[in-house]
Amino acid sequence: MSDCIFCKIASNEIPSTVVYEDDLVIAFDDLNPQAPVHTLVIPKAHHENIIDGVPAETLAAMTHAVAEVARIKGLDEGFRVISNKGEAAGQTVMHFHLHVLGGKPLGEGLI
């Protein structure tokens, strides 16, 4: 999608702090972090949300990217992964993404 900010990040039209990248996904630090570590993992192909027909290969690549982000960021003690679907859930960019949060005890609350 030409007006999607995450598509522009994935195609390097907009700079970001890339943490991990492969052929299918890119992970970059969130500009508005909600924890000491807050990295977003997105598919390079546009999918609006987690139930928008994301191919299994892409989901597997995203899972691998989460593991790589955790390793690179030193999240040995644990981390949280969140995906929002729709505005009512707090999704503000309509391009499927996973939030990887950590770097401090997150407790039992959602965020």
Side-chain angles (χ1 to χ4, degrees), residues 34-36 77-82 101-111:
Q34 303 299 304
E77 297 295 316
F79 57 92
R80 179 170 294 152
V81 178
I82 297 174
L101 301 131
K104 71 174 187 177
L106 298 173
E108 293 182 16
L110 205 62
I111 54 172

Side-chain angles (χ1 to χ4, degrees), residues 1-16 18 21 23-28 40-49 52 91-97:
M1 293 186 67
S2 62
D3 62 339
C4 173
I5 190 167
F6 284 0
C7 286
K8 290 178 180 181
I9 290 171
S11 65
N12 295 308
E13 293 176 51
I14 294 176
S16 64
V18 175
E21 182 173 10
D23 291 340
L24 296 175
V25 304
I26 186 168
F28 53 93
L40 303 177
V41 176
I42 68 167
K44 289 183 176 181
H46 186 86
H47 298 279
E48 188 169 310
N49 55 60
D52 186 26
Q91 185 179 5
T92 58
V93 177
M94 298 307 156
H95 182 122
F96 173 41
H97 55 286

Side-chain angles (χ1 to χ4, degrees), residues 65-86:
V66 167
E68 287 299 309
V69 167
R71 182 186 61 77
I72 291 164
K73 295 288 189 166
L75 300 177
D76 301 329
E77 297 295 316
F79 57 92
R80 179 170 294 152
V81 178
I82 297 174
S83 176
N84 300 315
K85 191 272 180 208

